[in-house]
Amino acid sequence: MKFTQLGLNEHILRAIKDQGYTTPTPVQQKAIPAILEGKDVLAGAQTGTGKTAGFTLPMLNLLTKAPKPKGKRVVRGLILTPTRELAAQVAQSVEDYGKYLPFKSTVIFGGVSINPQIKTLKNGVDIVIATPGRLLDLMNQKALDLRQVEFFVLDEADRMLDMGFIHDIKKILKVLPKKRQNLLFSATFSKEIKTLAGGLLNNPTLIEVARTNETSAQVEQLVYPVDKARKREMLTQLIKDNNWNQVLVFTRTKHGANRLCGQLEKDGITSAAIHGNKSQNARTKALSGFKEGEVRVLVATDIAARGIDIDQLSHVVNYELPNISEDYVHRIGRTGRAGNSGQAISLVCIDEHEYLRDIEKLTKNSITKVQLKGYKPDPSIAAEPIQNGGGRGKRAGARNSSSRRKPKPRGHREH
Ligand code: AMP
């Protein structure tokens, strides 16, 4: 996807080009169209995902399009951040992306003299980026009128609450007009955040992205070494012994997904497969069966699993490791969401040791190895090249991925 496909105006596109960006990040791809449609958005995204441009670009676009209030400049966009540093960063982004637009913006935070801030506000600004405490001071001094805010962003909401800003936020919300568009960005979703979001957002679009190449701390990751021929037996045992009731299992290939699904059924475990050869209808049916608990195991390939959103999914199993390390991060990001904890289990045979090393390098994490009793790998078995797995590789356009050491063919995405 290109920035030109997102519906942003030419002045903004020119500013993006000046920044040297070519491709929108995942959070931008999801957030920008939703925001441009006028939706409220609840986004799970941390620093490093490109979230700032994700809300700034559409905000600028919308403010350009909406009729300008008559008379003096009034504050139309308000962005709250927990820290001064973040406020300054966001303000810089607003400047950079809005450099070909006629808006004036200013940043407001404590610890510096208030008088220049009062003066700037008196002269009129369209967009304010602020930390809550100083903003309240200025409100109390009647230096700031927020009654015409059209666009409100709460950035890093979880940190705001951790820092005790909830009362300040509530006071600020009280003076905003009822009709406005709201966005809430947070890295985590505690009960408090959900409550805050419930009161603030109107029928929000939910957006969740994994931080680039970083795995969630909420997910416990384990590797079970095992011989390839015994993986199915081990999986059945793990599911039955631990009484896992909702498990998302990843295979590398469509054929492998079908075969495993059939084998699990034979073992008495209800299963369904989703992959690119299944019709949309069949996928929807499999997914709803899984969500409703009629199907205990959903076997999926990477592409089919994108966008699957299951509340409180507790277990993800990598029956086979992906040859593209980033896919591991996406796979295990299916669990441990929205503040819940989860387990990501990888069944790893000797053929996959190189894949495992690549994943550990990418995620900068050494995954705990657990030897399940009775499944110690046979040392006489030598590693073989992975059939249909393609080479170890990186997806075109992916950032920060591990380099390919050998010129093997690129791994096919789905077979
Ligand atoms: P953020 O998560 O908003 O703090 O952004 C993280 C970094 O990514 C910042 O340095 C941005 O300048 C940069 N960035 C944002 N969007 C893109 C993009 N589409 N392509 C490349 N870099 C980007």
Side-chain angles (χ1 to χ4, degrees), residues 3 19-25 28 46-53 89 97 399:
F3 273 109
Q19 291 294 312
Y21 303 163
T22 49
T23 319
T25 65
Q28 291 163 4
Q46 332 190 3
T47 302
T49 54
K51 68 180 167 68
T52 313
Q89 258 179 55
Y97 305 138
R399 292 186 294 168

Coordinates of all heavy atoms in Angstrom, one line a residue, residues 3 19-25 28 46-53 89 97 399, ligand 1:
F3 N 1.1 5.7 0.4 CA 0.4 6.8 1.0 C -0.6 7.4 0.1 O -1.7 7.9 0.6 CB 1.5 7.8 1.4 CG 2.1 7.6 2.8 CD1 3.4 7.2 2.9 CD2 1.3 7.7 3.9 CE1 3.9 6.9 4.2 CE2 1.8 7.5 5.2 CZ 3.2 7.1 5.3
Q19 N 9.6 13.8 4.2 CA 10.1 13.1 5.4 C 10.8 11.8 4.9 O 11.5 11.2 5.7 CB 8.9 12.6 6.3 CG 8.3 13.7 7.0 CD 9.2 14.4 8.1 OE1 9.8 13.7 8.8 NE2 9.2 15.7 8.1
G20 N 10.6 11.5 3.7 CA 11.3 10.3 3.1 C 10.5 9.0 3.3 O 11.0 7.9 3.1
Y21 N 9.3 9.1 3.8 CA 8.5 7.9 4.0 C 7.9 7.4 2.6 O 7.4 8.2 1.9 CB 7.3 8.1 4.9 CG 7.6 8.7 6.3 CD1 6.5 9.3 7.0 CD2 8.8 8.6 6.8 CE1 6.8 9.8 8.3 CE2 9.1 9.2 8.1 CZ 8.1 9.7 8.8 OH 8.3 10.2 10.0
T22 N 7.9 6.1 2.4 CA 7.3 5.6 1.2 C 6.1 4.8 1.5 O 5.1 4.9 0.7 CB 8.3 4.7 0.4 OG1 8.9 3.8 1.3 CG2 9.4 5.6 -0.2
T23 N 6.1 4.0 2.5 CA 5.0 3.1 2.8 C 4.4 3.4 4.2 O 5.2 3.5 5.1 CB 5.5 1.6 2.8 OG1 6.5 1.5 1.8 CG2 4.4 0.6 2.7
P24 N 3.1 3.5 4.2 CA 2.5 3.6 5.6 C 2.7 2.4 6.5 O 2.7 1.3 6.0 CB 1.0 3.8 5.3 CG 0.8 3.5 3.9 CD 2.1 3.4 3.2
T25 N 3.0 2.6 7.7 CA 3.2 1.5 8.6 C 1.8 0.8 8.9 O 0.7 1.4 8.6 CB 3.7 2.0 10.0 OG1 2.7 2.8 10.6 CG2 5.0 2.8 9.8
Q28 N -0.7 3.0 10.6 CA -1.2 4.1 9.7 C -2.2 3.6 8.6 O -3.2 4.2 8.3 CB 0.0 4.7 9.0 CG 0.9 5.5 10.0 CD 2.3 5.8 9.4 OE1 2.7 5.5 8.3 NE2 3.1 6.4 10.3
Q46 N 2.1 1.3 20.3 CA 3.1 1.9 21.1 C 4.0 2.8 20.3 O 3.9 2.8 19.1 CB 4.0 0.9 21.8 CG 3.3 -0.4 22.0 CD 4.2 -1.4 22.9 OE1 5.2 -1.0 23.3 NE2 3.6 -2.6 23.1
T47 N 4.9 3.5 21.0 CA 5.9 4.3 20.3 C 6.7 3.4 19.4 O 7.0 2.3 19.8 CB 6.8 4.9 21.3 OG1 6.0 5.7 22.2 CG2 7.8 5.8 20.7
G48 N 7.0 3.9 18.2 CA 7.8 3.0 17.3 C 7.0 2.4 16.2 O 7.5 1.8 15.3
T49 N 5.7 2.5 16.3 CA 4.8 1.9 15.3 C 4.4 2.9 14.2 O 3.8 2.6 13.3 CB 3.5 1.4 16.0 OG1 2.9 2.5 16.7 CG2 3.7 0.3 16.9
G50 N 4.8 4.2 14.4 CA 4.3 5.2 13.5 C 3.0 5.8 13.9 O 2.3 6.4 13.0
K51 N 2.6 5.6 15.1 CA 1.3 6.1 15.5 C 1.1 7.6 15.4 O -0.1 8.0 15.2 CB 0.9 5.6 17.0 CG 1.8 6.2 18.0 CD 1.4 5.7 19.4 CE 2.4 6.1 20.5 NZ 2.5 7.5 20.8
T52 N 2.1 8.3 15.7 CA 1.9 9.8 15.7 C 1.4 10.3 14.3 O 0.5 11.0 14.2 CB 3.3 10.5 16.0 OG1 3.8 9.8 17.2 CG2 3.1 12.0 16.3
A53 N 2.1 9.8 13.2 CA 1.6 10.2 11.9 C 0.3 9.5 11.7 O -0.6 10.1 11.0 CB 2.6 9.7 10.8
Q89 N 7.7 16.1 20.8 CA 7.8 15.2 19.6 C 6.6 15.3 18.7 O 6.7 15.4 17.5 CB 7.9 13.8 20.0 CG 9.3 13.2 20.0 CD 9.3 11.8 20.5 OE1 8.5 11.0 20.0 NE2 10.0 11.5 21.6
Y97 N 4.4 17.6 9.2 CA 3.4 17.1 8.2 C 2.4 18.2 7.8 O 1.8 18.1 6.7 CB 2.5 16.0 8.9 CG 3.3 14.8 9.4 CD1 3.0 14.2 10.7 CD2 4.4 14.3 8.7 CE1 3.8 13.2 11.2 CE2 5.2 13.3 9.2 CZ 4.8 12.7 10.5 OH 5.6 11.7 11.0
R399 N 10.8 -3.9 8.0 CA 12.0 -3.1 8.5 C 12.6 -4.0 9.6 O 12.0 -4.8 10.2 CB 11.5 -1.8 9.1 CG 11.0 -0.9 8.1 CD 10.7 0.5 8.7 NE 9.6 0.4 9.6 CZ 9.3 1.3 10.5 NH1 10.0 2.4 10.6 NH2 8.2 1.2 11.3
Ligands
AMP1 P1 6.0 7.0 16.4 O1 5.6 5.6 16.7 O2 4.9 7.8 16.0 O3 6.8 7.6 17.6 O4 7.0 6.9 15.2 C1 8.2 6.2 15.2 C2 9.2 6.6 14.1 O5 8.8 6.2 12.8 C3 9.4 8.1 14.0 O6 10.7 8.4 13.9 C4 8.7 8.5 12.6 O7 9.3 9.5 12.0 C5 8.9 7.2 11.9 N1 7.8 6.9 10.9 C6 6.5 7.2 11.0 N2 5.8 6.8 9.9 C7 6.7 6.2 9.1 C8 6.6 5.6 7.8 N3 5.5 5.5 7.2 N4 7.7 5.2 7.2 C9 8.9 5.3 7.8 N5 9.1 5.9 9.1 C10 8.0 6.3 9.7

